[in-house]
């Protein structure tokens, strides 16, 4: 299917206006296919040729103004139309296929009870696999949707369900929507309903997760209500759509999707077992993020995909701002530093880096290549810089102007900047060029001798970015001085700063987007200063800065392992403890350390986990630190008989983890990697946990078994089994590369670069990209792997989603190879 080009979209927008969409879906035709009837009401400005988008199994009929057209004209998922000027009605009858890769109308079976569930994800170019349409973001229209479903199903969509008879659900007509926001969710969902400020609220989850839904509903509804109140107070526009439903759907590709009135979220947010505060914060952030999209993205929609940042950067920023101002998650910006900005900085280091805004997207699919941590985390940081530049009052006035002026329509970066300029009375051309339209991240460092703060601009992406930031100093864990300044040149003199302090930290409050480089004296002081440092935001900036310096080859990975041992036992911020621990075990030790040092380092992490576990179990049983410590032990220990087997049997566990099947699968996965669990035992455990999570845990554990036969079977399952869902493929890839005996999987390094690209024919872009990233042989950081990877990228037939995954993974592999060359001895 050719991806819609910008030129084609502009031509259609000039010719067509879509005034109404009527969609009838029949979901009661079995597990493979569904019926789709669409009536498109549109007008043509002049006589002209154009096309509809439709991706059917069978196109039964297409009629233009009541006249039958030749169904054989459909080609490459496009149906050509020759229209005369004036009003038209196009009716399309088709049979469509459910997907299993998370795109279009995805259908999944819950092994817990055999129930089926459907969700619609029409993002980017998936809508034509659900209904016929003119599929581009700037041709919005109201939708009237009718759904026929099995009699025991619930149907949720963008419009609230109105009366109906039997299994026919009629959804209230929506406000104008872009095609990629249209969704239908259906199945025997459990539900919790509430109301707030005149808005009907609904939470939905699988029937087998009813207990979890009801247990977590009070907190999720509290965050939902607080977010509504906060956004109403600052946006000046009330929530503009229908009921506000949140559907926790199985096998959802993304974290969530902001469909107006019917947000779809991954159902792993309905935590089955013990849950940490950082996980609850992440869920709260996702809830608030998707709600912010009701204004940014849904009410005002991008005109074309190259302004996708307008959705994500603002929702990212607004969610964190909301959590700090209106909920108990007042440390949300610390979590942003650890979990979000580190993601964005990694994207900036990759050859695939791009500007926040203004990246050329000549067609719809190419836009997906720029949908990453830069769109989210860097964009949010840039918004914070804009507020520092303009002032919060002018910023909010500009937002209100922008939302009011473009309500239920489309807008672009130029429209947004114009609103900001009107509000602030200042020109933003140079600011936009530097921050929004130029890629790259500046490096900030302090020179003690000259008392200067230095800005190093990346050579490949030169820009004059002004930074509003602070610099702080610390001694004995306490702040000794702090100054706020604007860095508008390459150097600035620091005043009122204690440069004799052991630790000097640029961007201590994490107000700007930059790599904070520590001087040699500060690096040398970390082992004593970081464990006692009182400022949790500064601790987060240090940990993330060390990740950057590690990737840049500026620090020895052993320092991070030493810091983990020293600082994490006393770490009380949940996000820092969880994120730093995962980075140490999953990146630093697994990849950066020389191979002959990795086992000893993992043993040190297991001992660290045991120390924190013992202290937390005594001081705060059932708390987050206890949970993170137990997970750290389960991921790293090799004590099969003394620790792993008893935990797998439910023995000697902290009370909060007794009966926690999710934790048990972590333990079983480690037992499998150690060669201490047979496939038959894994299958027995799966039968005891007949859930989607149990199935995924079993797939990961089975793929981890360190035998040649198990690896061959897992690789074949991953690369050739077309019945596997998106989640199942990722689960298999997650367990594959782990055995101590690297020779077991070494032959699959070369096979990755042929077998994974071949999966492009049957997986959608989002699922394929996730599988290609997870399955990349990053554990084998050698020049030979790099040579194979580079040869793969030299192919001219490589799918775009695979290419982006390989580019990013290879960039990290190159960093690891360089680090090992420098620090390997």
């Amino acid at each position: 299917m050719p991806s819609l080009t910008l030129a084609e979209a502009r031509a259609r927008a000039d010719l067509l206006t879509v005034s109404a969409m009527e969609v009838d879906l029949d979901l009661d035709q079995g597990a493979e296919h569904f019926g789709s009837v669409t009536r498109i009401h549109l007008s043509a400005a002049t006589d002209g040729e154009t096309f509809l988008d439709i991706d059917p199994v069978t196109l039964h009929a297409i009629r233009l103004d009541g006249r039958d057209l030749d169904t054989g004209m459909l080609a490459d998922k496009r149906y050509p139309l020759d229209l005369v000027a004036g009003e038209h009605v196009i009716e399309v009858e088709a049979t469509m296929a459910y997907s299993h890769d998370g795109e279009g109308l995805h259908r999944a079976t819950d092994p817990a009870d055999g129930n089926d569930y459907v969700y619609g994800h029409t993002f980017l170019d998936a809508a034509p696999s659900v209904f016929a349409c003119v599929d581009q973001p700037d041709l919005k229209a109201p939708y009237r949707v009718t759904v026929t479903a099995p009699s025991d199903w619930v149907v949720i969509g963008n419009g609230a369900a109105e009366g109906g008879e039997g299994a026919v659900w009629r959804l209230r007509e929506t406000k104008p929507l872009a095609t990629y926001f249209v969704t239908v969710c259906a199945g025997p969902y459990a539900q919790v309903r509430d109301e707030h400020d005149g808005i009907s609220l609904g939470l939905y989850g699988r029937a087998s997760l009813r207990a979890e839904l009801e247990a977590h509903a009070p907190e999720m509804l509290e965050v939902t209500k607080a977010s509504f109140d906060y956004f109403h107070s600052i946006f000046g526009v009330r929530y503009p759509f229908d009921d506000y439903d949140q559907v926790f759907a199985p096998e959802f590709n993304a974290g969530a999707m902001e469909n107006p009135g019917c947000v779809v979220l991954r159902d792993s947010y309905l935590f089955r077992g013990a849950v940490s505060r950082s996980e609850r914060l992440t869920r709260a952030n996702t809830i608030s993020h998707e709600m912010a999209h009701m204004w940014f993205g849904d009410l005002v929609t991008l005109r074309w995909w190259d302004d996708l940042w307008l959705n994500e950067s603002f929702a990212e920023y607004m969610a964190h701002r909301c959590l700090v101002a209106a909920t108990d998650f007042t440390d949300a910006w610390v979590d942003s530093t650890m979990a979000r900005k580190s993601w964005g900085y990694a994207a900036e280091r990759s050859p695939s880096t791009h500007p926040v805004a203004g990246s050329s997207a000549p067609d719809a699919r190419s836009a997906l290549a720029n949908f990453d941590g830069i769109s989210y985390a860097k964009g949010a940081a840039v918004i914070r810089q804009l507020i520092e530049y303009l002032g919060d009052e002018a910023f909010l006035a500009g937002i209100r102007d922008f939302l009011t002026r473009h309500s239920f329509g489309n807008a672009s970066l130029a429209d947004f900047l114009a609103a900001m300029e009107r509000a602030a009375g200042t020109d933003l051309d140079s600011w936009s060029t530097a921050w929004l339209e130029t890629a790259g991240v500046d490096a900030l460092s302090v020179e003690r001798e000259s008392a200067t703060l230095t800005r190093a601009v990346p050579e490949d992406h030169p820009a004059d970015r002004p930074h509003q930031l602070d610099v702080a100093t610390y001694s004995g864990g306490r702040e000794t001085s702090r100054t706020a300044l604007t860095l508008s040149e390459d150097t600035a003199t620091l005043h009122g700063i204690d440069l004799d302090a052991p630790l000097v930290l640029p961007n201590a409050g994490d107000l700007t987007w930059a790599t904070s480089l520590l001087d040699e004296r500060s690096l040398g002081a970390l082992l004593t200063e970081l464990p006692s440092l009182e400022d949790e935001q500064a601790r987060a900036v240090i940990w993330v800065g060390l990740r950057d310096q590690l990737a840049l080859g500026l620090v020895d990975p052993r320092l991070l392992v030493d810091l983990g041992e020293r600082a994490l036992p006393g770490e009380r911020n949940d996000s820092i403890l969880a994120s730093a621990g995962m980075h140490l075990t999953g990146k630093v030790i697994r990849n950066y350390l020389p191979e002959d040092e990795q086992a000893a380092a993992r043993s040190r992490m297991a001992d660290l986990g045991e120390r924190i576990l013992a202290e937390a179990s005594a001081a705060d049983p059932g708390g987050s630190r206890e949970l993170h410590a137990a997970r750290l032990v389960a991921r790293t220990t090799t004590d099969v008989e003394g620790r792993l087997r008893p935990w797998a049997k439910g023995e000697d566990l902290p009370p909060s983890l007794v009966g926690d099947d999710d934790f048990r699968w972590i333990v079983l996965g480690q037992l499998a990697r150690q060669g201490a669990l047979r496939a038959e035992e894994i299958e027995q455990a799966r039968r005891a946990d007949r859930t989607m999570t149990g199935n995924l845990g079993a797939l990961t554990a089975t793929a981890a078994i360190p035998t040649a036969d198990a690896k061959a079977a897992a690789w074949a399952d991953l690369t050739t089994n077309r019945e596997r869902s998106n989640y199942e493929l990722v689960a298999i890839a997650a367990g594959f590369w782990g055995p101590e005996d690297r020779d077991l999987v070494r032959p699959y390094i070369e096979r990755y670069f042929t077998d994974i690209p071949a999966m492009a024919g049957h997986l959608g872009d989002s699922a394929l990209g996730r599988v290609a990233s997870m399955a990349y042989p990053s554990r084998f950081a050698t020049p030979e792997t790099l040579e194979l990877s580079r040869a793969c990228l030299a192919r001219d037939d490589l799918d775009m989603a695979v290419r982006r995954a390989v580019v990013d993974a290879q960039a990290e592999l190159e960093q690891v190879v360089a680090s090992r060359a420098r620090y390997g001895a």
Side-chain angles (χ1 to χ4, degrees):
M1 175 181 176
S3 186
L4 182 71
T5 67
L6 175 57
E8 290 172 329
R10 286 176 173 169
R12 287 205 298 190
D14 289 341
L15 178 64
L16 302 178
T17 299
V18 183
S19 57
M21 293 284 294
E22 298 176 67
V23 178
D24 299 334
L25 300 177
D26 185 353
L27 308 185
D28 200 13
Q29 296 187 3
E32 299 300 322
H33 300 135
F34 62 95
S36 175
V37 176
T38 312
R39 286 169 292 280
I40 306 171
H41 300 258
L42 55 76
S43 61
T46 63
D47 297 353
E49 296 180 353
T50 186
F51 59 92
L52 293 182
D53 302 294
I54 180 169
D55 181 15
V57 174
T58 305
L59 179 59
H60 300 293
I62 181 166
R63 288 180 284 274
L64 173 61
D65 301 327
R67 177 171 55 88
D68 286 330
L69 302 181
D70 181 5
T71 58
M73 296 293 290
L74 178 66
D76 289 328
K77 304 176 186 178
R78 294 179 172 186
Y79 192 93
L81 291 172
D82 191 354
L83 300 177
V84 298
E87 303 288 331
H88 300 281
V89 177
I90 303 168
E91 186 170 12
V92 179
E93 299 177 15
T95 294
M96 304 292 200
Y98 291 111
S99 79
H100 299 287
D101 63 1
E103 300 182 21
L105 203 58
H106 181 102
R107 185 165 180 146
T109 301
D110 185 351
D113 54 19
N115 283 326
D116 278 10
Y117 294 87
V118 168
Y119 70 80
H121 187 53
T122 56
F123 177 70
L124 208 62
D125 58 2
S129 66
V130 182
F131 53 89
C133 56
V134 185
D135 189 25
Q136 57 191 73
D138 59 341
L139 288 175
K140 300 169 78 170
Y143 280 75
R144 291 194 297 272
V145 177
T146 300
V147 179
T148 301
S151 58
D152 61 335
W153 282 21
V154 175
V155 174
I156 315 105
N158 304 101
E162 296 181 317
E165 297 180 359
V168 178
W169 296 71
R170 293 178 177 83
L171 306 183
R172 191 179 301 154
E173 183 174 317
T174 71
K175 298 292 187 181
L177 305 181
T179 48
Y180 78 97
F181 289 137
V182 179
T183 191
V184 165
C185 300
Y189 280 101
Q191 60 182 293
V192 173
R193 298 211 63 83
D194 202 344
E195 184 273 341
H196 179 69
D197 195 16
I199 303 167
S200 179
L201 308 177
L203 301 174
Y204 295 83
R206 283 181 280 137
S208 64
L209 291 175
R210 178 182 294 276
E212 289 80 2
L213 177 70
E214 293 175 350
H216 292 286
E219 180 173 279
M220 295 190 296
L221 287 169
E222 182 181 353
V223 172
T224 300
K225 295 173 183 179
S227 298
F228 265 128
D229 291 343
Y230 185 72
F231 292 145
H232 283 159
S233 74
I234 65 172
F235 290 159
V237 178
R238 274 188 60 82
Y239 171 63
F241 299 103
D242 213 328
D243 296 354
Y244 194 75
D245 293 323
Q246 298 174 83
V247 182
F248 294 85
E251 299 183 346
F252 189 65
N253 259 344
M257 181 64 194
E258 65 270 20
N259 310 305
C262 184
V263 174
V264 180
L265 306 94
R266 60 172 57 203
D267 67 0
S268 55
Y269 283 132
L270 299 179
F271 305 108
R272 298 196 307 168
V275 55
S276 68
R277 186 179 186 280
S278 61
E279 289 168 323
R280 291 170 44 234
L281 191 160
T282 297
R283 180 178 65 190
N285 182 271
T286 302
I287 289 171
S288 192
H289 178 111
E290 302 311 320
M291 187 184 293
H293 274 309
M294 299 299 121
W295 288 266
F296 294 96
D298 296 6
L299 176 64
V300 181
T301 304
L302 53 92
R303 187 166 288 121
W304 183 243
W305 300 108
D306 50 9
D307 279 330
L308 195 61
W309 76 277
L310 201 60
N311 294 6
E312 300 307 340
S313 299
F314 268 87
E316 180 87 0
Y317 167 75
M318 286 296 175
H320 287 88
R321 175 172 175 157
C322 175
L323 291 191
V324 171
T327 76
D328 292 335
F329 296 107
T330 54
D331 59 336
W333 285 118
V334 176
D335 185 77
S336 171
T337 301
M338 294 300 299
R340 308 296 286 179
K341 292 188 80 171
S342 58
W343 172 38
Y345 288 142
E348 281 274 49
R349 291 192 295 270
S350 173
S352 62
T353 187
H354 57 87
V356 174
S359 298
S360 176
D363 59 63
R365 283 194 72 208
S366 65
L368 193 62
N370 289 336
F371 197 59
D372 55 22
I374 292 171
S375 309
Y376 289 79
K378 183 179 182 180
V382 170
I383 296 302
R384 294 185 83 182
Q385 283 293 294
L386 178 63
I387 294 169
E388 294 290 331
Y389 189 74
L390 298 180
D392 197 54
E393 184 177 344
F395 171 74
L396 292 179
I399 292 302
R400 295 179 188 122
D401 177 11
F402 176 75
L403 293 175
T404 302
R405 195 175 290 256
H406 301 287
S407 287
F408 298 111
N410 297 84
S412 65
L413 171 60
D415 297 318
F416 167 73
L417 292 177
M420 290 294 148
E421 289 175 340
R422 287 191 295 269
T426 188
D427 183 88
L428 289 174
D429 283 351
S430 61
W431 185 93
S432 174
T433 298
W435 274 114
L436 292 176
E437 300 168 55
T438 308
V441 56
D442 298 339
L444 304 179
S445 58
V446 171
E447 296 180 3
R448 294 179 187 249
E449 294 76 12
S450 57
T452 58
L453 176 66
T454 299
R455 175 187 69 181
V457 177
E459 294 181 2
D460 293 343
H461 305 284
D464 186 15
R465 282 177 279 265
H467 294 268
Q468 314 284 331
L469 76 157
D470 55 5
V471 177
T473 63
Y474 305 89
S475 179
R478 296 191 174 185
E479 182 179 308
T480 61
S481 65
R482 184 182 294 258
T483 186
L485 70 155
T486 299
L487 180 63
S488 54
E489 298 180 348
D490 287 342
T491 61
T493 302
L494 294 172
H495 299 284
I497 283 291
D498 176 18
L499 293 176
D500 290 327
L503 177 59
V504 179
L505 183 60
N507 194 29
D510 203 17
L511 297 176
T512 193
W513 181 260
T515 300
S516 296
L517 300 179
L518 296 179
D519 64 280
E520 288 300 320
R521 184 177 171 191
S522 294
L523 279 172
L526 282 181
L527 287 173
T528 54
E529 288 294 325
L530 185 58
S532 59
L533 189 59
E534 296 174 353
D535 185 341
E536 62 182 15
Q537 183 63 75
R539 297 199 303 272
V541 169
I542 289 170
W543 276 113
V544 171
L546 287 171
R547 293 185 191 185
D548 291 336
Q549 290 181 261
L550 176 69
L552 295 170
L554 301 178
V555 297
D556 191 325
R558 299 173 184 85
L559 172 62
L560 276 75
V561 179
D562 293 341
L563 280 171
E565 282 189 313
R566 292 281 190 93
L568 293 186
E571 181 56 64
R572 290 302 186 268
N573 183 280
D574 205 50
S575 298
I576 297 175
L577 178 60
S579 181
M582 287 296 294
H583 182 251
L584 286 171
T585 58
K587 292 287 186 183
V588 180
I589 296 173
R590 183 178 186 269
N591 295 344
Y592 279 88
L593 279 185
E595 291 182 5
D596 59 357
E597 297 180 28
Q598 292 179 9
R602 277 195 298 274
S603 178
R604 291 168 64 188
M605 290 298 102
D607 291 343
L608 170 65
E610 294 283 11
R611 287 168 52 201
I612 300 174
L613 180 60
E615 185 273 332
S617 295
D620 184 25
S624 285
R625 295 183 72 247
E626 182 182 70
L627 175 58
H628 290 309
R631 289 174 178 171
L632 177 59
V633 173
R635 292 196 309 268
T636 56
T637 187
T638 58
D639 185 359
V640 170
E641 300 303 330
R643 180 55 90 191
L644 292 174
R645 285 204 191 278
W647 274 3
K649 296 175 183 178
E651 300 170 357
D652 301 331
L653 284 166
S656 62
L657 290 174
V658 173
D660 189 328
D661 286 328
D662 290 346
F663 179 75
R664 184 168 185 250
W665 280 112
I666 298 175
V667 175
L668 293 175
Q670 180 67 350
L671 278 169
R673 280 188 290 276
Q674 297 299 315
L677 203 63
R678 302 188 310 275
E680 295 80 6
E681 295 172 290
I682 296 172
E683 174 59 19
Q684 183 179 358
R686 187 197 65 79
R687 288 197 299 269
D689 182 17
R690 290 184 177 275
T691 65
M692 285 188 167
T693 305
N695 179 54
L696 298 177
L699 287 171
T700 298
T702 302
I705 294 174
T707 66
D709 288 346
K711 293 303 176 185
W715 191 258
D717 200 10
L718 172 67
T719 57
T720 66
N721 187 349
R722 298 195 175 192
E723 300 302 312
R724 289 294 185 194
S725 73
N726 50 339
Y727 271 45
E728 289 173 330
L729 293 173
V730 170
I732 296 168
F736 185 78
W737 293 103
E740 288 295 319
D741 183 358
R742 287 174 171 79
D743 289 339
L744 279 173
V745 291
R746 205 177 302 275
Y748 295 93
I749 300 173
E750 185 171 0
R751 291 188 60 178
Y752 169 92
F753 297 104
T754 56
D755 295 355
I756 296 298
M759 297 172 69
H762 64 277
L763 274 184
D765 285 349
S766 181
L768 180 59
R770 292 177 66 212
V771 171
S773 296
M774 182 62 74
Y776 189 87
S778 58
R779 191 176 178 220
F780 292 85
T782 65
E784 291 76 19
T785 306
L786 277 178
E787 183 179 350
L788 290 168
S789 188
R790 290 165 179 160
C792 178
L793 290 178
R795 291 171 48 178
D796 57 11
D797 63 340
L798 198 63
D799 179 85
M800 188 179 300
V802 177
R803 181 176 296 280
R804 173 61 194 265
V806 173
V807 165
D808 289 348
Q810 178 180 296
E812 184 172 324
L813 191 68
E814 289 170 340
Q815 294 160 8
V816 173
V817 169
S819 176
R820 284 190 180 183
R822 182 170 184 177
Y823 299 108

